[in-house]
Amino acid sequence: AAVEASAKGIQWTFAPMVDVARDQRWGRVVEGSGEDTWLGVQLARARVRGFQGPDIRRDDSMLACPKHFAAYGAVQGGMEYNTADIPETTLREIHLPGFKAAFDAGAITTMSSFNDIAGVPSTANHYLLTDILRGEWGFKGLVVSDYTSEEELILHGYAADGPDAVVKS
């Protein structure tokens, strides 16, 4: 995929999707690696290495962007943009290992997710993006928002308006 895409000038892909999905009603299930965390870790690592190759500066490689950070596959009722009501142990044992594997394999970008966890949307979640991602894991790369996730901060009732959403994200 990287060889063919980079030949056309594509330098960044919004993949791999490493969300663990255990509710088959969720419309993004087909995009991911399934419901098994171990398998998801193996595929996340392999896909990042496949996209980026041995050196991301090569003409036939492109940046990987593991998504959706984090726990988007745990949304309630299989509904997009919904709440993921999950305990800390489930977050760390089920939903974060694929991301950690992708970053350990060299991914330097990631995409935040639409969902909220305990009422805090992922795009503005200090605990996820700062404490875990940057603090614990030492991630120094780029976090890109998904589609309209800043606007979703308003719809989730977390931000008052557009400028507030931008500051919070």
Side-chain angles (χ1 to χ4, degrees):
V3 170
E4 291 178 9
S6 62
K8 294 291 186 185
I10 298 171
Q11 299 174 331
W12 188 20
T13 182
F14 296 138
M17 195 276 261
V18 298
D19 296 302
V20 173
R22 295 183 170 168
D23 185 337
Q24 298 306 305
R25 295 174 295 177
W26 187 47
R28 310 290 296 263
V29 169
V30 69
E31 194 179 349
S33 302
E35 61 186 12
D36 183 75
T37 302
W38 182 86
L39 178 61
V41 163
Q42 306 312 310
L43 292 172
R45 184 180 300 125
R47 290 184 73 193
V48 167
R49 289 180 180 155
F51 288 135
Q52 296 189 171
D55 184 349
I56 60 174
R57 295 171 293 192
R58 289 178 41 155
D59 290 340
D60 63 350
S61 71
M62 62 182 176
L63 289 176
C65 186
K67 61 182 187 176
H68 304 89
F69 195 78
Y72 195 25
V75 291
Q76 292 179 345
M79 301 293 294
E80 297 282 346
Y81 313 102
N82 208 356
T83 296
D85 188 19
I86 55 176
E88 178 80 9
T89 53
T90 302
L91 176 68
R92 289 186 176 270
E93 293 175 5
I94 304 298
H95 298 282
L96 292 182
F99 288 99
K100 182 72 166 79
F103 302 138
D104 288 348
I108 58 173
T109 72
T110 191
M111 180 183 292
S112 62
S113 58
F114 282 119
N115 61 287
D116 70 69
I117 298 174
V120 181
S122 295
T123 299
N125 193 314
H126 188 273
Y127 179 65
L128 285 176
L129 298 175
T130 303
D131 296 347
I132 295 175
L133 183 63
R134 299 209 186 274
E136 291 179 29
W137 295 353
F139 183 77
K140 296 185 183 348
L142 170 74
V143 178
V144 63
S145 61
D146 195 353
Y147 188 52
T148 59
S149 62
E150 291 86 1
E151 291 177 35
E152 294 297 323
L153 297 180
I154 301 165
L155 297 174
H156 278 274
Y158 194 76
D161 54 25
D164 187 35
V166 169
V167 168
K168 288 180 175 175
S169 63

